[in-house]
Amino acid sequence: MLAVMQTNMGEIEDSTVRPKVTDAKGILKQNRQFLDYFWDIAKPEREIRLKAVEDLIEHLKQSEKPDELQYSLKRLVDGLSHTRDDARSGYSVALAQLLSVFEEISLKSTLDSVKEKHNLQTAKKKFIRNAAFGNFFGVLALSQSTRLHKEPQVVLECVRLLQSLSQYREHLRDLPRKTMVDILSETSKEVFEEVLLSALQSDLTSALNTPEQLELLLVALQKFPSVLKPKKLKKLLGTTAVITKENMPKLVEVLKTAARSVKKENILPPVAFDLLQVSLREDNFEMFWNEAIIKGMLSEMPGPTHYLSFRLLGACLPLLSVAQLEFVLSADVMTHYGQHMLSAQLADRFKFAPEMEKYVSEFMQGCADADKQLVVALGFTQLTNQGYPVVPSCWKDLEHMGLSALQKYVEWLMEAFCKPQLEKCLDFSTRRQKGNQETEADDSCVARFRKWIILRLTFIGENHQIKKREDLVMKLARFIFFHAFFDVKKPTPEIPETTQALSVPIDQQTRAAISSAFYGSIKLFCLNTMAVLGDSAEAERRTLGVKADGSMWIYCVVQYATMLLDQSKHVQSVQTLSPEQRQGWDSMLGSVEALRKKARKSSSPEHSAFQHLFLLVGIQMFKVYLIVCVCVCVADGKSSEEEPHWVEVVVEILLSLLSQPSRLTRGVCKAVFSRICPHLTQEALSSILDVLDPNKDEDESGVMVTDEKKEKKKIHKEEEERDEEEDDDVEDEDGSDSSSDDDDDDDEDEAMEEGEEVDQNFRLDLMKVLQGQNALATEEDGSDEEELDDAAMMKLDGSLSALFLEQKKKIQAKKDEKDRLRKEKVLVRDFKIKVLDMVEMFLSKQGSSALVLGMVEPLLSVIENGMSSETSQQEQDFLRKAADIFRNRLCRAKYYCREINGREAELHDMLERLIGRAQKLTDSSVSLYYFSAALYLLKVLRGVVSERDSANLRLMGKVDVERVTTCFRNALTSFMTKRKSPLTGAMFIDLFSRFPVLCVNLLDTAVENITAGVREHQQGQACAVVLRALQSKDVKNLMSDAQSTELHQKVVDQLAKCKNKTVREKMVKALELCQHLVRVVHSQKLQVNLELLQKVLKSMNAEGSLQKPGQLEDTYWSVMKLFGVLKPKMEKVKKVVEAEQTEETTRKKKKKGFLPETKKRKNRKKPTVLEGKETPASTETAGGASGEEGKKKKKKKNKKRKQQGGEEEGTQNQPATKKAKTQQQQQKKKKKGGQQEADGK
């Protein structure tokens, strides 16, 4: 080794001297911190780039070193042609800041250095792109330095450089032209007129050729109108204005080119918007819109040109007058936009509607003119497809309408509902509708238009983001309610809705839609609160469903309905009310008035809750007659001591309403129940939970449904009794038994085709019919050749058809009964899902109530029963909802019960029941819910720990620590000692992390089970639980130093007994615990003996089996590293055996052109044996041996060996004098083949 080092040193000394390092850029003279600024400027993160630019400028200000300033300038100019976009922009911004701060740097010299460094003439072909970007970003930096307008000659050179860059459009696109426009916008009039105008002469003359050149002209016109006067335009364009009929074809082509150029960006080209502004300034807007947009752009197929027209429509809204808005919104652009709206409903189609909504929203927000807002809203409303507006009824752009504009818009909608004038709408039909001749009738178009208007009015009323007055909301409610349930007989000023006569009567389908809209929105604008209405700036939220004057919204609607019912001369109800219904309505009103009088004397939640319930149930009478519920409510008007609490009555009514399949009823119940949640009693809550309890009968739970099992038993018993009676009849008539034939079996199969099993009753009836007509062959007949005559056959046919018809009816009855039971079950499950909504609402609103504690076990029984029941989709939804409510609304709720005075013993008993039940279950997932409920009760018993007591970790509130510790110790012992336990280690880890006091008490049991666990899985879980406990800071603070040392020693002793490394799961957990223990012992210098543990760990790798990579091996060596033992490095050694095998395989490869053994001709002549040569027998034995070995391999390898054996035999069968030559030739061929294969690899 030393000799080798000496020779190497000699070679180094004899080597030639390296050339002197040159520092042309001066990099080596700069310090490290200064150079890092330039590295950060080129980074992809924008924040880092901007921070580096600021730091560089600040550094140059403070240093005041000319060499650093020159180096920075040179470095930034070089970086302008960087290959990355982010780096180029970073260097450009830095150069702009540098030129802006240090004005002593000449812009002319900077531009010259940019041209010299990034010379497009001398750059190689592959660097052309970078050089073009270098020139562009250099000019951009000069324009952003805020000094360019001070040096006109530099401005001229920049413009000329940008003009020369326009030929590199494939790289720069339209960036040079945009920069040129920016430079023009910052240039003064004198500089433009004296310097730039002559330079831009060619571009301005050819302005109608490309969008970039036209944009340059338009910006110059906007910036310097006094320079580019009509006479000057006449010289440049040949016309005194831009928007003329002569220029229109060229302008259209330029707009089409611009539209295609932004196809991927989905933006409005600036040249189009500037052209629109020029048309407004030249007062040629209508000509521009008709000629350029409608006749030019829309003449193309739907695509970029259409989208440019739509964007131009949205962008021009703030610029137009009322007359111009009416012209634009009634032109063909809107028609094409409507057709696009319909075609874009298909999947994978580009949808322009969001962009248009954004344009209209910006217009509504920025426009203070009510007339313009109204014109735009009406323009989009009147765009209809066969009577139905294409704009959705839920249009959020109305949220920004002013109050006066909204008032006029609502009045227009109401008038259009009563007197639709579709001829004034911009109606269209699609090509498919025209091709299929799907032209709707006028009445159907009117119906479609009216349905949309009702939906729009409903949206205005229910959307709280739309600012409106209360009188407008009430007006909407009256209008919708009137046209849903009443017709006009005679107009009267007392009812404003009757003054507007209907030009077309409302058909039944439209009236049903209006009724659904009213009931669907009643819970929104009649139940919910309205924060800010009208011009009021007060943002106080009022009580739910109450107006500003204190009256209920729903009460105002009911009063209006009463007035309509009393005005029978002027209006009539669509559905005539019976005397009983009218009596129920009057009784409801009387009860409400009585409650209102009581509420005036003393306000009580009981009064408002019953009022709300009465009014909501009563208003439904126009759709569904609920006189029973109303009567129940009315009967509750008189109170006595024997009657139940009012909340219980309301809950019973709500449960009865929920049993009806009505979405409105469900909303009513939710609204009422949310008001009475704070006043709920234990009896009322029990009536709700009884519905969900699966262990109670239908009568006890309040669910009216027949039991499927009982029905089946009853039907089965009736069938058995009927079978016995029929058997007696058969015995009396025949007196002898008979058996059926094969033909009879076929008939039975056809009769019972839909049945699941053979009906013995039907078999006996069939035998009875056949024997009665002597058509059944018996053993006494002796032959079956006798046939019945025609009359007997007809009679037999009639009897059989009657029998089969009766059997078919029986089968169908069974099917109907089964289907009925299934439907009842579905209804019951749906009813229980609705009841779960009430439970969820109570938990979310009253989570801190003491009543919540009584909901723990009922919800757990629901979950447990759902886990073991059928797996239908509805059952799964019910189970998922119940589990979600229990987990998120109860166990993980932010607010929980804190008033448990006198209930400590009850809660401890419940906790023991829950833990005991969790141990007896078979499903671990259900056991987890029981264990979580026990932890929830522990949290309730511990209560809230104040900030003063937070330091004392031993405070457990009202928890009986000894009793609870015993309970959980039994559970932990059960988990560790039972082979099939539903408990898991994660449950106890959760317990230990949330309650450190119990963790300290249970640690000894967990440590003992590291080796005492019944299975290796339990032992591994014990290691994980102990590790989690030792990692807790609270557990460490609860234990003294002596206890901590003793505990660590116990754990070490237990771990020293774990030697079985075949169970990888357990060993990984044990090694993770070892790693934590050793680290803690070493860091805290505990008096713990680790020698035995170290010996055991070393013995695990005695055979070197833990050298391979893996989780177990990595954890093991991380532990050994703490003892100072490092993992040995594995040296990669090429195995000789593998090399030999590869050589053998290359030799045994099949050669091309050789025949298989079966195709060769046998040589009958025996070869002559010479002295010193091997006999053929010896080679044959060798070949046979190799053949025996080959039988154990695959078929393909056997074929190769046979072919190679054939080659050897071929060479051996040759004369001995030629054998040596042939062997040499074969060896040469093999060598050549091996070389070719090696080259190919």
Side-chain angles (χ1 to χ4, degrees):
M1 185 70 182
L2 183 61
V4 174
M5 291 179 62
Q6 289 177 355
T7 56
N8 292 338
M9 292 297 293
E11 292 176 359
I12 294 172
E13 291 175 358
D14 296 339
S15 62
T16 59
V17 181
R18 293 181 180 179
K20 185 178 180 180
V21 178
T22 59
D23 187 16
K25 298 182 179 180
I27 296 177
L28 298 179
K29 297 180 181 179
Q30 311 300 334
N31 58 33
R32 179 69 182 177
Q33 182 181 3
F34 178 64
L35 295 176
D36 286 343
Y37 294 143
F38 300 99
W39 286 98
D40 292 341
I41 288 174
K43 286 188 177 180
E45 294 79 8
R46 184 172 180 272
E47 293 77 10
I48 297 178
R49 294 200 307 269
L50 296 178
K51 182 67 168 58
V53 171
E54 294 177 2
D55 295 342
L56 175 62
I57 300 300
E58 189 66 27
H59 175 80
L60 293 175
K61 283 182 180 180
Q62 295 177 0
S63 65
E64 298 181 355
K65 295 180 180 179
D67 57 339
E68 287 188 352
L69 184 61
Q70 291 298 325
Y71 175 79
S72 301
L73 180 62
K74 191 176 187 311
R75 183 74 180 268
L76 294 177
V77 170
D78 293 346
L80 294 175
S81 62
H82 203 282
T83 54
R84 287 190 292 107
D85 296 340
D86 297 332
R88 287 195 296 263
S89 61
Y91 283 118
S92 178
V93 172
L95 181 59
Q97 293 295 320
L98 186 70
L99 295 175
S100 176
V101 174
F102 299 96
E103 295 187 358
E104 60 269 19
I105 302 176
S106 173
L107 296 184
K108 180 71 168 60
S109 61
T110 305
L111 183 60
D112 293 339
S113 61
V114 169
K115 292 180 180 179
E116 181 183 357
K117 179 63 180 177
H118 312 293
N119 193 345
L120 292 168
Q121 304 299 327
T122 60
K124 295 182 180 180
K125 186 176 181 180
K126 61 180 180 180
F127 296 125
I128 285 291
R129 183 177 185 274
N130 295 339
F133 272 111
N135 284 277
F136 167 71
F137 277 105
V139 177
L140 184 64
L142 292 175
S143 66
Q144 292 176 351
S145 64
T146 67
R147 294 172 50 195
L148 189 60
H149 63 280
K150 299 178 183 179
E151 301 184 20
Q153 293 300 324
V154 180
V155 174
L156 179 60
E157 291 188 19
C158 288
V159 170
R160 288 176 177 172
L161 181 57
L162 290 174
Q163 287 176 335
S164 65
L165 291 177
S166 60
Q167 58 182 325
Y168 302 100
R169 182 174 176 80
E170 66 272 13
H171 304 307
L172 302 177
R173 296 191 179 182
D174 57 344
L175 291 176
R177 296 292 176 182
K178 290 182 178 179
T179 308
M180 202 180 303
V181 170
D182 294 338
I183 293 175
L184 281 182
S185 61
E186 297 177 359
T187 305
S188 62
K189 173 186 174 183
E190 293 77 12
V191 174
F192 175 76
E193 188 174 4
E194 296 175 1
V195 179
L196 294 182
L197 186 58
S198 58
L200 298 175
Q201 186 75 24
S202 61
D203 288 331
L204 296 178
T205 304
S206 57
L208 301 180
N209 294 336
T210 62
E212 294 82 9
Q213 292 171 335
L214 180 60
E215 174 69 9
L216 195 63
L217 174 63
L218 296 178
V219 172
L221 281 172
Q222 184 179 1
K223 182 71 176 175
F224 313 108
S226 60
V227 177
L228 296 176
K229 294 180 180 180
K231 293 182 179 180
K232 190 67 176 178
L233 281 178
K234 181 70 174 178
K235 295 180 181 179
L236 294 175
L237 303 178
T239 57
T240 58
V242 178
I243 308 299
T244 60
K245 289 187 177 181
E246 294 81 5
N247 295 337
M248 203 56 66
K250 294 182 179 181
L251 292 176
V252 170
E253 293 300 325
V254 170
L255 287 176
K256 290 180 180 178
T257 305
R260 297 187 188 99
S261 65
V262 296
K263 180 179 180 181
K264 295 182 179 179
E265 289 81 359
N266 291 332
I267 59 174
L268 177 64
V271 63
F273 188 69
D274 291 342
L275 204 58
L276 174 68
Q277 290 178 321
V278 169
S279 68
L280 290 172
R281 287 199 301 268
E282 295 179 354
D283 200 13
N284 291 326
F285 173 73
E286 292 188 5
M287 183 179 68
F288 169 74
W289 197 260
N290 286 326
E291 300 295 332
I293 304 300
I294 297 176
K295 296 182 180 179
M297 304 297 288
L298 297 180
S299 62
E300 297 283 329
M301 293 296 292
T305 57
H306 286 225
Y307 301 143
L308 185 142
S309 304
F310 301 156
R311 293 187 179 100
L312 208 56
L313 170 65
C316 74
L317 294 178
L319 307 177
L320 305 181
S321 62
V322 175
Q324 290 172 339
L325 284 173
E326 292 177 349
F327 165 72
V328 167
L329 295 175
S330 60
D332 291 345
V333 179
M334 288 292 290
T335 305
H336 283 81
Y337 175 69
Q339 293 176 351
H340 164 77
M341 288 279 291
L342 294 183
S343 62
Q345 294 177 358
L346 301 176
D348 301 331
R349 291 287 184 90
F350 174 71
K351 296 174 176 58
F352 190 81
E355 288 189 48
M356 184 60 74
E357 290 180 1
K358 186 177 180 181
Y359 280 120
V360 178
S361 177
E362 292 175 355
F363 166 76
M364 292 288 187
Q365 286 179 334
C367 180
D369 191 347
D371 294 335
K372 290 185 178 181
Q373 287 185 342
L374 180 61
V375 169
V376 172
L378 292 179
F380 283 93
T381 301
Q382 292 175 330
L383 180 61
T384 59
N385 171 240
Q386 296 186 353
Y388 196 85
V390 297
V391 178
S393 58
C394 301
W395 206 34
K396 292 187 177 181
D397 294 335
L398 298 177
E399 296 175 359
H400 309 293
M401 282 190 77
L403 293 175
S404 58
L406 183 65
Q407 182 78 27
K408 295 177 182 178
Y409 182 63
V410 170
E411 292 176 357
W412 183 91
L413 289 174
M414 291 180 178
E415 184 179 357
F417 178 88
C418 298
K419 298 178 180 180
Q421 296 180 355
L422 297 179
E423 63 276 2
K424 293 184 179 181
C425 295
L426 192 62
D427 197 83
F428 66 93
S429 299
T430 61
R431 288 182 297 175
R432 179 174 296 180
Q433 291 172 345
K434 293 177 181 177
N436 298 337
Q437 296 181 354
E438 297 177 0
T439 56
E440 297 283 346
D442 293 340
D443 294 343
S444 61
C445 292
V446 169
R448 286 157 58 89
F449 191 49
R450 281 175 169 171
K451 290 177 183 178
W452 185 90
I453 290 176
I454 290 297
L455 294 176
R456 173 59 64 88
L457 292 175
T458 304
F459 170 74
I460 294 173
E462 69 188 16
N463 191 345
H464 300 309
Q465 301 298 326
I466 301 177
K467 294 183 179 181
K468 48 192 176 294
R469 298 185 181 89
E470 287 186 348
D471 56 349
L472 180 62
V473 178
M474 197 61 217
K475 186 176 182 180
L476 292 172
R478 289 162 58 107
F479 182 83
I480 298 174
F481 179 79
F482 178 83
H483 290 288
F485 306 110
F486 290 90
D487 282 330
V488 180
K489 282 185 178 180
K490 183 180 179 181
T492 175
E494 297 179 2
I495 306 175
E497 289 74 22
T498 61
T499 57
Q500 295 179 342
L502 298 176
S503 61
V504 179
I506 302 176
D507 59 349
Q508 186 176 0
Q509 189 178 5
T510 305
R511 199 177 293 276
I514 301 172
S515 173
S516 300
F518 172 77
Y519 283 116
S521 62
I522 192 173
K523 62 178 180 296
L524 293 168
F525 64 75
C526 290
L527 301 182
N528 290 351
T529 147
M530 300 179 65
V532 181
L533 297 176
D535 299 324
S536 175
E538 299 178 358
E540 299 179 358
R541 295 185 65 85
R542 295 187 288 273
T543 311
L544 188 71
V546 177
K547 295 174 64 177
D549 58 357
S551 60
M552 292 184 180
W553 283 98
I554 188 65
Y555 178 71
C556 299
V557 177
V558 170
Q559 277 188 326
Y560 178 68
T562 305
M563 182 187 68
L564 293 178
L565 290 174
D566 295 339
Q567 295 283 346
S568 57
K569 295 182 180 179
H570 301 282
V571 296
Q572 64 177 359
S573 176
V574 177
Q575 295 180 354
T576 305
L577 300 182
S578 63
E580 186 182 11
Q581 290 175 325
R582 187 57 193 265
Q583 183 182 0
W585 178 266
D586 296 337
S587 301
M588 181 268 296
L589 289 177
S591 302
V592 170
E593 293 299 331
L595 289 171
R596 285 174 62 84
K597 290 180 182 179
K598 291 181 180 179
R600 292 192 191 99
K601 296 179 181 179
S602 62
S603 60
S604 171
E606 174 184 359
H607 301 149
S608 61
F610 272 105
Q611 280 187 62
H612 211 163
L613 181 60
F614 286 4
L615 295 171
L616 286 170
V617 173
I619 202 66
Q620 293 185 74
M621 189 180 66
F622 293 94
K623 186 176 182 181
V624 180
Y625 182 50
L626 299 176
I627 194 64
V628 178
C629 296
V630 175
C631 290
V632 171
C633 297
V634 174
D636 190 65
K638 298 179 180 180
S639 60
S640 63
E641 296 180 356
E642 297 180 357
E643 291 181 353
H645 194 268
W646 66 270
V647 175
E648 301 172 25
V649 177
V650 175
V651 169
E652 290 294 336
I653 295 172
L654 294 180
L655 290 176
S656 63
L657 290 175
L658 280 179
S659 61
Q660 301 179 8
S662 172
R663 186 177 180 183
L664 170 64
T665 307
R666 191 173 184 177
V668 168
C669 294
K670 282 185 177 181
V672 176
F673 188 74
S674 64
R675 297 174 68 95
I676 66 172
C677 274
H679 314 285
L680 216 61
T681 62
Q682 182 62 48
E683 290 75 11
L685 185 62
S686 298
S687 63
I688 296 175
L689 296 176
D690 289 344
V691 176
L692 301 174
D693 193 354
N695 299 322
K696 291 189 176 182
D697 297 333
E698 288 83 11
D699 297 336
E700 298 178 0
S701 63
V703 182
M704 299 300 295
V705 63
T706 55
D707 191 1
E708 187 175 356
K709 295 181 179 179
K710 292 182 179 180
E711 287 290 330
K712 287 184 177 180
K713 290 180 180 179
K714 185 176 180 180
I715 295 172
H716 188 60
K717 181 180 281 188
E718 293 177 356
E719 289 179 354
E720 287 183 351
E721 293 176 356
R722 189 169 62 251
D723 292 344
E724 291 177 359
E725 294 176 358
E726 291 174 351
D727 290 341
D728 295 339
D729 296 339
V730 171
E731 291 177 0
D732 293 340
E733 291 179 2
D734 297 336
S736 61
D737 296 334
S738 61
S739 60
S740 62
D741 199 2
D742 292 340
D743 297 336
D744 298 332
D745 292 337
D746 296 338
D747 296 337
E748 290 176 13
D749 292 339
E750 293 177 1
M752 294 299 297
E753 188 175 354
E754 298 177 355
E756 295 181 357
E757 57 184 9
V758 178
D759 189 357
Q760 297 296 331
N761 184 22
F762 175 68
R763 183 190 294 271
L764 293 176
D765 289 343
L766 184 61
M767 291 171 60
K768 175 182 175 182
V769 172
L770 295 176
Q771 289 175 357
Q773 300 295 331
N774 295 325
L776 185 64
T778 58
E779 296 178 358
E780 299 175 357
D781 296 340
S783 66
D784 54 352
E785 296 180 357
E786 298 181 1
E787 296 182 356
L788 298 176
D789 56 359
D790 295 342
M793 286 293 292
M794 293 297 292
K795 186 177 180 181
L796 178 62
D797 188 29
S799 302
L800 289 175
S801 62
L803 179 62
F804 279 101
L805 182 61
E806 183 182 358
Q807 179 65 15
K808 187 176 181 180
K809 290 181 180 180
K810 290 181 181 179
I811 295 174
Q812 187 63 34
K814 290 182 179 180
K815 278 189 172 185
D816 295 342
E817 181 66 18
K818 191 175 182 180
D819 190 50
R820 184 184 65 81
L821 295 176
R822 182 185 61 79
K823 289 181 179 179
E824 285 184 358
K825 199 170 186 179
V826 169
L827 291 175
V828 170
R829 184 62 63 201
D830 186 57
F831 171 63
K832 289 187 176 182
I833 291 175
K834 296 176 185 177
V835 175
L836 274 181
D837 292 338
M838 300 175 67
V839 173
E840 183 178 10
M841 184 179 295
F842 177 75
L843 288 175
S844 61
K845 289 182 175 295
Q846 299 293 322
S848 58
S849 173
L851 298 176
V852 174
L853 300 176
M855 303 175 69
V856 175
E857 290 181 306
L859 286 177
L860 285 173
S861 62
V862 170
I863 296 173
E864 182 181 356
N865 183 73
M867 288 287 191
S868 59
S869 62
E870 60 186 19
T871 59
S872 62
Q873 183 62 39
Q874 192 185 30
E875 190 73 26
Q876 291 179 5
D877 295 341
F878 174 72
L879 176 61
R880 191 179 297 110
K881 189 176 183 65
D884 180 72
I885 292 172
F886 179 81
R887 181 174 58 251
N888 298 325
R889 297 294 183 182
L890 182 64
C891 296
R892 299 179 184 175
K894 184 177 180 180
Y895 303 101
Y896 56 92
C897 178
R898 297 170 186 179
E899 299 294 334
I900 56 171
N901 295 328
R903 301 185 62 181
E904 293 85 354
E906 176 189 352
L907 294 180
H908 280 87
D909 294 340
M910 186 189 301
L911 189 144
E912 290 179 347
R913 287 198 305 271
L914 294 176
I915 295 297
R917 183 59 183 165
Q919 300 176 49
K920 296 177 182 178
L921 294 170
T922 57
D923 192 351
S924 180
S925 59
V926 183
S927 179
L928 175 61
Y929 286 102
Y930 276 90
F931 202 89
S932 301
L935 297 184
Y936 170 75
L937 292 180
L938 265 182
K939 181 175 70 173
V940 171
L941 287 168
R942 184 181 60 180
V944 181
V945 180
S946 61
E947 295 182 358
R948 294 182 304 170
D949 300 335
S950 59
N952 189 359
L953 298 174
R954 293 190 178 276
L955 289 178
M956 288 292 287
K958 299 179 181 180
V959 178
D960 189 348
V961 178
E962 184 177 355
R963 182 178 178 182
V964 173
T965 302
T966 304
C967 179
F968 280 104
R969 180 178 286 113
N970 295 335
L972 181 59
T973 305
S974 172
F975 169 57
M976 294 296 177
T977 55
K978 286 186 178 181
R979 298 187 64 86
K980 293 183 179 180
S981 175
L983 304 178
T984 60
M987 299 178 185
F988 292 97
I989 290 176
D990 191 16
L991 170 67
F992 282 16
S993 60
R994 294 173 62 181
F995 302 98
V997 176
L998 298 179
C999 174
V1000 173
N1001 297 340
L1002 297 174
L1003 257 179
D1004 294 338
T1005 305
V1007 172
E1008 291 175 359
N1009 285 283
I1010 292 178
T1011 55
V1014 65
R1015 291 189 307 171
E1016 286 79 3
H1017 172 71
Q1018 274 87 343
Q1019 295 175 11
Q1021 292 297 314
C1023 293
V1025 170
V1026 173
L1027 175 61
R1028 182 65 185 87
L1030 295 179
Q1031 289 175 343
S1032 175
K1033 294 182 180 179
D1034 295 337
V1035 174
K1036 179 182 176 182
N1037 296 331
L1038 286 170
M1039 300 175 67
S1040 62
D1041 295 341
Q1043 290 177 341
S1044 178
T1045 304
E1046 182 182 359
L1047 175 64
H1048 283 78
Q1049 187 63 54
K1050 286 183 181 180
V1051 177
V1052 169
D1053 296 339
Q1054 290 290 331
L1055 289 174
K1057 301 177 184 179
C1058 299
K1059 300 180 180 179
N1060 186 9
K1061 63 182 180 182
T1062 58
V1063 184
R1064 300 182 68 87
E1065 178 189 359
K1066 172 193 170 183
M1067 290 309 302
V1068 169
K1069 301 289 185 185
L1071 288 173
E1072 290 175 352
L1073 181 57
C1074 288
Q1075 184 180 5
H1076 176 75
L1077 276 174
V1078 176
R1079 187 180 288 113
V1080 170
V1081 170
H1082 287 172
S1083 61
Q1084 299 180 6
K1085 298 181 180 180
L1086 299 179
Q1087 299 297 325
V1088 178
N1089 187 9
L1090 299 175
E1091 295 180 358
L1092 182 59
L1093 179 62
Q1094 185 176 1
K1095 291 180 181 179
V1096 172
L1097 291 174
K1098 287 184 177 180
S1099 64
M1100 290 177 62
N1101 193 34
E1103 301 176 356
S1105 59
L1106 296 176
Q1107 304 291 342
K1108 299 179 181 180
Q1111 184 182 7
L1112 175 62
E1113 291 78 5
D1114 295 342
T1115 311
Y1116 171 78
W1117 287 110
S1118 62
V1119 177
M1120 295 304 296
K1121 186 177 181 180
L1122 299 175
F1123 288 110
V1125 180
L1126 299 178
K1127 182 178 180 180
K1129 295 183 179 180
M1130 299 290 294
E1131 296 182 359
K1132 296 182 179 180
V1133 182
K1134 294 183 179 180
K1135 296 183 179 180
V1136 182
V1137 180
E1138 294 181 356
E1140 293 178 354
Q1141 290 179 357
T1142 55
E1143 289 180 1
E1144 290 179 0
T1145 53
T1146 55
R1147 291 175 185 174
K1148 294 178 180 179
K1149 284 189 177 180
K1150 176 183 175 181
K1151 290 187 176 183
K1152 294 182 179 179
F1154 277 80
L1155 294 173
E1157 182 66 23
T1158 55
K1159 299 295 183 181
K1160 289 186 177 182
R1161 296 180 63 184
K1162 299 294 183 180
N1163 192 0
R1164 296 180 180 178
K1165 295 181 180 180
K1166 294 182 180 180
T1168 58
V1169 181
L1170 300 178
E1171 294 181 0
K1173 303 291 182 180
E1174 294 179 356
T1175 59
S1178 61
T1179 58
E1180 288 177 3
T1181 56
S1186 63
E1188 291 177 359
E1189 293 177 358
K1191 291 179 181 179
K1192 300 177 182 179
K1193 297 186 178 180
K1194 294 181 180 179
K1195 200 169 184 180
K1196 293 182 179 180
K1197 293 185 177 180
N1198 288 340
K1199 289 183 179 180
K1200 290 182 179 180
R1201 289 184 179 277
K1202 288 180 181 179
Q1203 292 169 3
Q1204 293 168 2
E1207 294 174 10
E1208 293 176 0
E1209 290 179 3
T1211 55
Q1212 292 168 2
N1213 291 335
Q1214 295 176 359
T1217 56
K1218 299 181 179 179
K1219 183 178 180 180
K1221 295 182 180 180
T1222 55
Q1223 288 180 353
Q1224 291 176 2
Q1225 292 175 358
Q1226 289 178 3
Q1227 289 177 2
K1228 290 180 180 180
K1229 291 180 180 179
K1230 288 181 180 180
K1231 289 181 180 179
K1232 290 181 180 180
Q1235 290 177 359
Q1236 291 175 358
E1237 291 175 357
D1239 295 338
K1241 293 179 181 178

